[in-house]
Amino acid sequence: MIESWWPMGKEPISNNPDEELFVAVDGASSSEPGDTGDADDAVIGQAFKRSLCVIGTLVGLAVVVVVYRAWTRPPEAVTEAAVPSLPPPIETPVEEIPPLPFADVTRQAGIDFVHHNGARGQKLLPETMGGGCAFLDYDNDGDQDILFVDSDLVPGSDWATPAGAGGGAAASREPGGSAGRRHASVRLYANDGAGRFRDVTVEAGFSDVFYGMGPACGDFDNDGWVDVFVTAVGANRLYRNEHGRFVDVTEQYGVAGPSTEWSTSAGWFDYDNDGDLDLFVCNYLQWTPENDLAQNFQLTGGGRAYGRPQDFGGTYSQLFRNDGDHFTDVSAEAGIRIDNPATGKPMGKSLGVTFFDVNGDGWLDIFVANDTVQNFLFLNNHDGTFREVGALAGIAFDSEGRARGAMGIDISHFRNDEHIGVAIGNFANEMTALYVSRDGDLFLDEAVTCGLGPATRLELTFAVLFIDCDLDGRDDLFAANGHLENDINRVQPSQHYKQPPQLFWNRGPDAPDEFAAVPRERVGPDFLRPMVGRGAAYADIDADGDLDLLVVENGGAARLLRNDRRNAHHWLRLKLVGRRSNRDAIGTRVVAHVGDRRLTRWVMPTRGYLSQVELPVTFGLGDADRVDRLEIRWPLGARTVLKDVSADRRIEVVEPDPEQPAE
């Protein structure tokens, strides 16, 4: 029997060694996450497709048949995963794409962070999923500092001790190993204002060592100093910023979560519009090292493999309501605990989250990217509860009703109109999704028609970020890529462990390839150097108005990419300060009217995968040297209007006093 410590009384897939046939699959990690041989995925996908043409008992019968076939099918050895049939990528002439050069300035900027995944050859699944990063102004000096989240040794494993205390030098032979490493799991670098950084981890008070995943930054107590929540395999951490020094207040505020959970992305937002920040935490899988090792995942041709998410049970994410001196877990009453309708067990396998007012009602909704099960869209009911409408809205599955291996997520008004685009990075041999809103809350995946689909179908994409790299007023799309298996090329010749990041230039909605892949000649060799990309974030690190990129490599050195744009495009940056709304102004919508263009941006740092972007909002203005009209809608309904705002500067706007008129 496998000893179980699964949360909320749920059971692992099997505690019977004789049933291991159904949970251990040869070639596990190299098969597609959407494979219909997986019970969880097949049940959901089949139920979705049949719901269009059958009702009542017919649906129930179909589900029973699918479940029986899936669970009685013998394991299959997988070599090269089938590549979906898509049109070939459109080759945009190089001369039509502007220069978008990025330079690797990591070393000269003083960044020496190396992510440690704790791998020692046993291939436990958490090793391949970290880590995250954030831009934040921790010392209130007006520039963007950098925070990294490191991992250590997987808790609960029989070798989770420092090298020298039983583990030896095995880690030195494994990429990303941790032999002798006891650095703090949170690393902080202070910016001098010009894009040079100094490691201030110790003086800022970070010293804990744990298996970290990613940060969520937000001023939860509205004192003007940004605080940090960190997710982990095991108990999470909350650090309150006391004027530049961080203090662990996890126990006081009650946000550690169960020690049996594996938390991934998290974010701060005000879901109940009471003026303070609440916390949403994604939880990934019901996982233990014992269950992972017992399943004996194998690559085709031999060798231990990382297990598939299909072979572990789902779990619930958590919503913590900010009650001032503590947080209350309101997950159950808020309606975010979603069960698989076929099994009655937790469905979610959540990796990415962001927040957005999708229907314009003044209340933030929740988008969750799930790995190998349907994505969630939680619409805010205005009464402290949510209703999950992902399938009805069209963002839950691909166009054929299959769940994909979703990782990171971001949202943008990328066409500069009332419609929004939801980008989701997916597993290898699955294209990046681009769900575009149509009427009301309905979405259609336009990845193929806009050029993203064919250009992203081979990559395994974690972070996705909408970012206006050339300041032309249109959001481009960045993707951080990298596989799970360092031996993947041996069993799948089309796949590589290290993969180049990608940048897609937004050509506008009238172009046949709306998003054009930027080639080496335009983006530069530093940008396209292959890596095992995971978390990513953007900020203006050197106060020149354009946005720079930070990317974390799993088991490797982080990469800081400075934007060296060559055009003379104008820009405007806004730092918003809430007064009645939350101090960070998270959830504020800003609309810039520039000639006949209407550019919309949101204050929303939770984007991508395990990471947070800067709080200030950047508008690329192209050739325009001023904004005709700037409309700011604060989270609690107040409005600020500024007219004839000159460009190429950073301005700070404070929410108006509630007693004053809206304009």
Side-chain angles (χ1 to χ4, degrees), residues 563-587:
N563 189 335
D564 287 343
R565 65 185 174 94
R566 299 173 187 170
N567 60 46
H569 287 166
H570 299 286
W571 50 273
L572 180 68
R573 285 172 56 79
L574 281 77
K575 170 65 186 301
L576 303 181
V577 180
R579 181 180 293 176
R580 179 166 167 257
S581 302
N582 68 87
R583 182 66 178 256
D584 288 337
I586 290 173

PDB file of all heavy atoms in Angstrom, residues 563-587:
ATOM      1  N   ASN A 563      15.450  45.838 -23.841  1.00  0.00           N
ATOM      2  CA  ASN A 563      14.829  46.269 -25.089  1.00  0.00           C
ATOM      3  C   ASN A 563      15.661  47.399 -25.686  1.00  0.00           C
ATOM      4  O   ASN A 563      15.745  48.492 -25.120  1.00  0.00           O
ATOM      5  CB  ASN A 563      13.399  46.737 -24.793  1.00  0.00           C
ATOM      6  CG  ASN A 563      12.596  47.002 -26.056  1.00  0.00           C
ATOM      7  OD1 ASN A 563      13.139  47.294 -27.108  1.00  0.00           O
ATOM      8  ND2 ASN A 563      11.279  46.931 -25.934  1.00  0.00           N
ATOM      9  N   ASP A 564      16.287  47.143 -26.826  1.00  0.00           N
ATOM     10  CA  ASP A 564      17.125  48.137 -27.501  1.00  0.00           C
ATOM     11  C   ASP A 564      16.444  48.628 -28.770  1.00  0.00           C
ATOM     12  O   ASP A 564      17.040  48.658 -29.855  1.00  0.00           O
ATOM     13  CB  ASP A 564      18.501  47.547 -27.839  1.00  0.00           C
ATOM     14  CG  ASP A 564      19.373  47.373 -26.609  1.00  0.00           C
ATOM     15  OD1 ASP A 564      19.062  47.991 -25.570  1.00  0.00           O
ATOM     16  OD2 ASP A 564      20.360  46.619 -26.674  1.00  0.00           O
ATOM     17  N   ARG A 565      15.165  49.022 -28.660  1.00  0.00           N
ATOM     18  CA  ARG A 565      14.409  49.460 -29.845  1.00  0.00           C
ATOM     19  C   ARG A 565      15.143  50.587 -30.560  1.00  0.00           C
ATOM     20  O   ARG A 565      15.810  51.423 -29.945  1.00  0.00           O
ATOM     21  CB  ARG A 565      13.005  49.908 -29.437  1.00  0.00           C
ATOM     22  CG  ARG A 565      12.973  51.127 -28.566  1.00  0.00           C
ATOM     23  CD  ARG A 565      11.575  51.457 -28.094  1.00  0.00           C
ATOM     24  NE  ARG A 565      11.609  52.552 -27.132  1.00  0.00           N
ATOM     25  CZ  ARG A 565      11.435  53.829 -27.449  1.00  0.00           C
ATOM     26  NH1 ARG A 565      11.198  54.172 -28.695  1.00  0.00           N
ATOM     27  NH2 ARG A 565      11.487  54.762 -26.513  1.00  0.00           N
ATOM     28  N   ARG A 566      14.957  50.620 -31.875  1.00  0.00           N
ATOM     29  CA  ARG A 566      15.672  51.599 -32.703  1.00  0.00           C
ATOM     30  C   ARG A 566      14.759  52.676 -33.273  1.00  0.00           C
ATOM     31  O   ARG A 566      15.206  53.544 -34.017  1.00  0.00           O
ATOM     32  CB  ARG A 566      16.379  50.871 -33.849  1.00  0.00           C
ATOM     33  CG  ARG A 566      17.413  49.865 -33.370  1.00  0.00           C
ATOM     34  CD  ARG A 566      17.972  49.044 -34.524  1.00  0.00           C
ATOM     35  NE  ARG A 566      18.846  47.977 -34.051  1.00  0.00           N
ATOM     36  CZ  ARG A 566      19.321  47.006 -34.815  1.00  0.00           C
ATOM     37  NH1 ARG A 566      18.988  46.964 -36.111  1.00  0.00           N
ATOM     38  NH2 ARG A 566      20.107  46.077 -34.320  1.00  0.00           N
ATOM     39  N   ASN A 567      13.470  52.600 -32.955  1.00  0.00           N
ATOM     40  CA  ASN A 567      12.566  53.610 -33.502  1.00  0.00           C
ATOM     41  C   ASN A 567      12.452  54.801 -32.543  1.00  0.00           C
ATOM     42  O   ASN A 567      12.994  54.789 -31.443  1.00  0.00           O
ATOM     43  CB  ASN A 567      11.181  53.001 -33.768  1.00  0.00           C
ATOM     44  CG  ASN A 567      10.525  52.453 -32.515  1.00  0.00           C
ATOM     45  OD1 ASN A 567      10.507  53.097 -31.475  1.00  0.00           O
ATOM     46  ND2 ASN A 567       9.976  51.236 -32.591  1.00  0.00           N
ATOM     47  N   ALA A 568      11.719  55.805 -32.986  1.00  0.00           N
ATOM     48  CA  ALA A 568      11.530  57.017 -32.179  1.00  0.00           C
ATOM     49  C   ALA A 568      10.103  57.115 -31.663  1.00  0.00           C
ATOM     50  O   ALA A 568       9.591  58.212 -31.435  1.00  0.00           O
ATOM     51  CB  ALA A 568      11.883  58.249 -33.009  1.00  0.00           C
ATOM     52  N   HIS A 569       9.460  55.975 -31.482  1.00  0.00           N
ATOM     53  CA  HIS A 569       8.078  55.990 -31.023  1.00  0.00           C
ATOM     54  C   HIS A 569       7.960  56.616 -29.630  1.00  0.00           C
ATOM     55  O   HIS A 569       8.821  56.436 -28.769  1.00  0.00           O
ATOM     56  CB  HIS A 569       7.513  54.572 -31.000  1.00  0.00           C
ATOM     57  CG  HIS A 569       7.233  54.034 -32.369  1.00  0.00           C
ATOM     58  ND1 HIS A 569       6.994  52.701 -32.619  1.00  0.00           N
ATOM     59  CD2 HIS A 569       7.136  54.650 -33.573  1.00  0.00           C
ATOM     60  CE1 HIS A 569       6.767  52.518 -33.910  1.00  0.00           C
ATOM     61  NE2 HIS A 569       6.860  53.681 -34.507  1.00  0.00           N
ATOM     62  N   HIS A 570       6.854  57.315 -29.444  1.00  0.00           N
ATOM     63  CA  HIS A 570       6.599  57.973 -28.171  1.00  0.00           C
ATOM     64  C   HIS A 570       5.873  57.028 -27.219  1.00  0.00           C
ATOM     65  O   HIS A 570       5.334  55.994 -27.630  1.00  0.00           O
ATOM     66  CB  HIS A 570       5.784  59.248 -28.396  1.00  0.00           C
ATOM     67  CG  HIS A 570       6.479  60.250 -29.248  1.00  0.00           C
ATOM     68  ND1 HIS A 570       7.536  61.010 -28.796  1.00  0.00           N
ATOM     69  CD2 HIS A 570       6.278  60.628 -30.545  1.00  0.00           C
ATOM     70  CE1 HIS A 570       7.958  61.815 -29.765  1.00  0.00           C
ATOM     71  NE2 HIS A 570       7.209  61.593 -30.842  1.00  0.00           N
ATOM     72  N   TRP A 571       5.822  57.428 -25.944  1.00  0.00           N
ATOM     73  CA  TRP A 571       5.249  56.565 -24.919  1.00  0.00           C
ATOM     74  C   TRP A 571       4.746  57.408 -23.753  1.00  0.00           C
ATOM     75  O   TRP A 571       5.093  58.583 -23.605  1.00  0.00           O
ATOM     76  CB  TRP A 571       6.285  55.560 -24.402  1.00  0.00           C
ATOM     77  CG  TRP A 571       7.595  56.187 -24.015  1.00  0.00           C
ATOM     78  CD1 TRP A 571       8.665  56.430 -24.844  1.00  0.00           C
ATOM     79  CD2 TRP A 571       7.970  56.690 -22.725  1.00  0.00           C
ATOM     80  NE1 TRP A 571       9.684  57.043 -24.144  1.00  0.00           N
ATOM     81  CE2 TRP A 571       9.281  57.210 -22.844  1.00  0.00           C
ATOM     82  CE3 TRP A 571       7.348  56.742 -21.485  1.00  0.00           C
ATOM     83  CZ2 TRP A 571       9.970  57.771 -21.763  1.00  0.00           C
ATOM     84  CZ3 TRP A 571       8.021  57.302 -20.408  1.00  0.00           C
ATOM     85  CH2 TRP A 571       9.321  57.801 -20.562  1.00  0.00           C
ATOM     86  N   LEU A 572       3.930  56.786 -22.935  1.00  0.00           N
ATOM     87  CA  LEU A 572       3.453  57.401 -21.703  1.00  0.00           C
ATOM     88  C   LEU A 572       3.313  56.308 -20.656  1.00  0.00           C
ATOM     89  O   LEU A 572       2.729  55.254 -20.926  1.00  0.00           O
ATOM     90  CB  LEU A 572       2.098  58.087 -21.915  1.00  0.00           C
ATOM     91  CG  LEU A 572       1.488  58.766 -20.676  1.00  0.00           C
ATOM     92  CD1 LEU A 572       2.328  59.975 -20.267  1.00  0.00           C
ATOM     93  CD2 LEU A 572       0.044  59.186 -20.940  1.00  0.00           C
ATOM     94  N   ARG A 573       3.856  56.547 -19.466  1.00  0.00           N
ATOM     95  CA  ARG A 573       3.771  55.578 -18.375  1.00  0.00           C
ATOM     96  C   ARG A 573       2.997  56.185 -17.211  1.00  0.00           C
ATOM     97  O   ARG A 573       3.188  57.352 -16.868  1.00  0.00           O
ATOM     98  CB  ARG A 573       5.168  55.150 -17.910  1.00  0.00           C
ATOM     99  CG  ARG A 573       5.818  54.202 -18.888  1.00  0.00           C
ATOM    100  CD  ARG A 573       7.284  53.912 -18.565  1.00  0.00           C
ATOM    101  NE  ARG A 573       7.513  53.401 -17.229  1.00  0.00           N
ATOM    102  CZ  ARG A 573       7.315  52.136 -16.851  1.00  0.00           C
ATOM    103  NH1 ARG A 573       6.849  51.245 -17.727  1.00  0.00           N
ATOM    104  NH2 ARG A 573       7.576  51.735 -15.613  1.00  0.00           N
ATOM    105  N   LEU A 574       2.112  55.373 -16.614  1.00  0.00           N
ATOM    106  CA  LEU A 574       1.280  55.828 -15.515  1.00  0.00           C
ATOM    107  C   LEU A 574       1.485  54.962 -14.287  1.00  0.00           C
ATOM    108  O   LEU A 574       1.407  53.732 -14.371  1.00  0.00           O
ATOM    109  CB  LEU A 574      -0.207  55.764 -15.891  1.00  0.00           C
ATOM    110  CG  LEU A 574      -0.798  56.874 -16.753  1.00  0.00           C
ATOM    111  CD1 LEU A 574      -0.401  56.672 -18.208  1.00  0.00           C
ATOM    112  CD2 LEU A 574      -2.311  56.879 -16.632  1.00  0.00           C
ATOM    113  N   LYS A 575       1.754  55.604 -13.154  1.00  0.00           N
ATOM    114  CA  LYS A 575       1.741  54.938 -11.849  1.00  0.00           C
ATOM    115  C   LYS A 575       0.462  55.399 -11.151  1.00  0.00           C
ATOM    116  O   LYS A 575       0.263  56.592 -10.908  1.00  0.00           O
ATOM    117  CB  LYS A 575       2.970  55.311 -11.024  1.00  0.00           C
ATOM    118  CG  LYS A 575       2.891  54.834  -9.574  1.00  0.00           C
ATOM    119  CD  LYS A 575       2.889  53.332  -9.458  1.00  0.00           C
ATOM    120  CE  LYS A 575       2.650  52.887  -8.012  1.00  0.00           C
ATOM    121  NZ  LYS A 575       3.662  53.392  -7.066  1.00  0.00           N
ATOM    122  N   LEU A 576      -0.418  54.460 -10.857  1.00  0.00           N
ATOM    123  CA  LEU A 576      -1.709  54.775 -10.252  1.00  0.00           C
ATOM    124  C   LEU A 576      -1.699  54.413  -8.773  1.00  0.00           C
ATOM    125  O   LEU A 576      -1.194  53.355  -8.388  1.00  0.00           O
ATOM    126  CB  LEU A 576      -2.826  54.031 -10.973  1.00  0.00           C
ATOM    127  CG  LEU A 576      -2.928  54.288 -12.493  1.00  0.00           C
ATOM    128  CD1 LEU A 576      -4.095  53.515 -13.081  1.00  0.00           C
ATOM    129  CD2 LEU A 576      -3.075  55.773 -12.783  1.00  0.00           C
ATOM    130  N   VAL A 577      -2.274  55.284  -7.946  1.00  0.00           N
ATOM    131  CA  VAL A 577      -2.312  55.071  -6.507  1.00  0.00           C
ATOM    132  C   VAL A 577      -3.770  55.110  -6.051  1.00  0.00           C
ATOM    133  O   VAL A 577      -4.455  56.124  -6.220  1.00  0.00           O
ATOM    134  CB  VAL A 577      -1.499  56.138  -5.748  1.00  0.00           C
ATOM    135  CG1 VAL A 577      -1.572  55.888  -4.244  1.00  0.00           C
ATOM    136  CG2 VAL A 577      -0.056  56.145  -6.228  1.00  0.00           C
ATOM    137  N   GLY A 578      -4.234  54.003  -5.484  1.00  0.00           N
ATOM    138  CA  GLY A 578      -5.598  53.948  -4.988  1.00  0.00           C
ATOM    139  C   GLY A 578      -5.731  54.639  -3.649  1.00  0.00           C
ATOM    140  O   GLY A 578      -4.808  54.634  -2.821  1.00  0.00           O
ATOM    141  N   ARG A 579      -6.887  55.220  -3.427  1.00  0.00           N
ATOM    142  CA  ARG A 579      -7.185  55.838  -2.136  1.00  0.00           C
ATOM    143  C   ARG A 579      -8.351  55.099  -1.483  1.00  0.00           C
ATOM    144  O   ARG A 579      -8.210  54.484  -0.449  1.00  0.00           O
ATOM    145  CB  ARG A 579      -7.511  57.323  -2.325  1.00  0.00           C
ATOM    146  CG  ARG A 579      -7.809  58.050  -1.037  1.00  0.00           C
ATOM    147  CD  ARG A 579      -8.120  59.513  -1.284  1.00  0.00           C
ATOM    148  NE  ARG A 579      -6.958  60.243  -1.771  1.00  0.00           N
ATOM    149  CZ  ARG A 579      -6.992  61.526  -2.134  1.00  0.00           C
ATOM    150  NH1 ARG A 579      -8.137  62.192  -2.094  1.00  0.00           N
ATOM    151  NH2 ARG A 579      -5.896  62.138  -2.556  1.00  0.00           N
ATOM    152  N   ARG A 580      -9.494  55.121  -2.133  1.00  0.00           N
ATOM    153  CA  ARG A 580     -10.629  54.320  -1.648  1.00  0.00           C
ATOM    154  C   ARG A 580     -10.497  52.881  -2.139  1.00  0.00           C
ATOM    155  O   ARG A 580     -10.808  51.937  -1.424  1.00  0.00           O
ATOM    156  CB  ARG A 580     -11.933  54.938  -2.139  1.00  0.00           C
ATOM    157  CG  ARG A 580     -13.181  54.182  -1.717  1.00  0.00           C
ATOM    158  CD  ARG A 580     -14.434  55.013  -1.944  1.00  0.00           C
ATOM    159  NE  ARG A 580     -15.644  54.200  -1.825  1.00  0.00           N
ATOM    160  CZ  ARG A 580     -16.365  53.769  -2.847  1.00  0.00           C
ATOM    161  NH1 ARG A 580     -15.996  54.082  -4.089  1.00  0.00           N
ATOM    162  NH2 ARG A 580     -17.434  53.038  -2.659  1.00  0.00           N
ATOM    163  N   SER A 581     -10.031  52.716  -3.373  1.00  0.00           N
ATOM    164  CA  SER A 581      -9.730  51.390  -3.910  1.00  0.00           C
ATOM    165  C   SER A 581      -8.432  50.892  -3.288  1.00  0.00           C
ATOM    166  O   SER A 581      -7.772  51.611  -2.534  1.00  0.00           O
ATOM    167  CB  SER A 581      -9.604  51.446  -5.432  1.00  0.00           C
ATOM    168  OG  SER A 581     -10.778  51.947  -6.030  1.00  0.00           O
ATOM    169  N   ASN A 582      -8.034  49.657  -3.622  1.00  0.00           N
ATOM    170  CA  ASN A 582      -6.779  49.134  -3.087  1.00  0.00           C
ATOM    171  C   ASN A 582      -5.615  50.028  -3.504  1.00  0.00           C
ATOM    172  O   ASN A 582      -5.616  50.638  -4.566  1.00  0.00           O
ATOM    173  CB  ASN A 582      -6.573  47.690  -3.538  1.00  0.00           C
ATOM    174  CG  ASN A 582      -6.313  47.555  -5.032  1.00  0.00           C
ATOM    175  OD1 ASN A 582      -5.176  47.643  -5.504  1.00  0.00           O
ATOM    176  ND2 ASN A 582      -7.383  47.332  -5.799  1.00  0.00           N
ATOM    177  N   ARG A 583      -4.634  50.134  -2.629  1.00  0.00           N
ATOM    178  CA  ARG A 583      -3.529  51.090  -2.809  1.00  0.00           C
ATOM    179  C   ARG A 583      -2.792  50.876  -4.126  1.00  0.00           C
ATOM    180  O   ARG A 583      -2.339  51.827  -4.762  1.00  0.00           O
ATOM    181  CB  ARG A 583      -2.563  50.969  -1.629  1.00  0.00           C
ATOM    182  CG  ARG A 583      -1.391  51.940  -1.640  1.00  0.00           C
ATOM    183  CD  ARG A 583      -1.828  53.369  -1.475  1.00  0.00           C
ATOM    184  NE  ARG A 583      -0.706  54.298  -1.438  1.00  0.00           N
ATOM    185  CZ  ARG A 583      -0.252  54.877  -0.328  1.00  0.00           C
ATOM    186  NH1 ARG A 583      -0.845  54.641   0.825  1.00  0.00           N
ATOM    187  NH2 ARG A 583       0.769  55.702  -0.372  1.00  0.00           N
ATOM    188  N   ASP A 584      -2.646  49.612  -4.569  1.00  0.00           N
ATOM    189  CA  ASP A 584      -1.941  49.317  -5.816  1.00  0.00           C
ATOM    190  C   ASP A 584      -2.776  49.625  -7.051  1.00  0.00           C
ATOM    191  O   ASP A 584      -2.272  49.528  -8.177  1.00  0.00           O
ATOM    192  CB  ASP A 584      -1.522  47.844  -5.855  1.00  0.00           C
ATOM    193  CG  ASP A 584      -0.381  47.536  -4.905  1.00  0.00           C
ATOM    194  OD1 ASP A 584       0.365  48.466  -4.554  1.00  0.00           O
ATOM    195  OD2 ASP A 584      -0.238  46.366  -4.507  1.00  0.00           O
ATOM    196  N   ALA A 585      -4.050  49.943  -6.867  1.00  0.00           N
ATOM    197  CA  ALA A 585      -4.976  50.230  -7.973  1.00  0.00           C
ATOM    198  C   ALA A 585      -5.144  49.035  -8.906  1.00  0.00           C
ATOM    199  O   ALA A 585      -5.495  49.205 -10.079  1.00  0.00           O
ATOM    200  CB  ALA A 585      -4.528  51.452  -8.765  1.00  0.00           C
ATOM    201  N   ILE A 586      -4.905  47.825  -8.411  1.00  0.00           N
ATOM    202  CA  ILE A 586      -5.080  46.615  -9.220  1.00  0.00           C
ATOM    203  C   ILE A 586      -6.543  46.496  -9.638  1.00  0.00           C
ATOM    204  O   ILE A 586      -7.450  46.617  -8.820  1.00  0.00           O
ATOM    205  CB  ILE A 586      -4.624  45.373  -8.438  1.00  0.00           C
ATOM    206  CG1 ILE A 586      -3.104  45.378  -8.292  1.00  0.00           C
ATOM    207  CG2 ILE A 586      -5.081  44.082  -9.113  1.00  0.00           C
ATOM    208  CD1 ILE A 586      -2.562  44.290  -7.393  1.00  0.00           C
ATOM    209  N   GLY A 587      -6.761  46.282 -10.923  1.00  0.00           N
ATOM    210  CA  GLY A 587      -8.103  46.219 -11.472  1.00  0.00           C
ATOM    211  C   GLY A 587      -8.556  47.510 -12.132  1.00  0.00           C
ATOM    212  O   GLY A 587      -9.676  47.577 -12.655  1.00  0.00           O
TER     213      GLY A 587
END
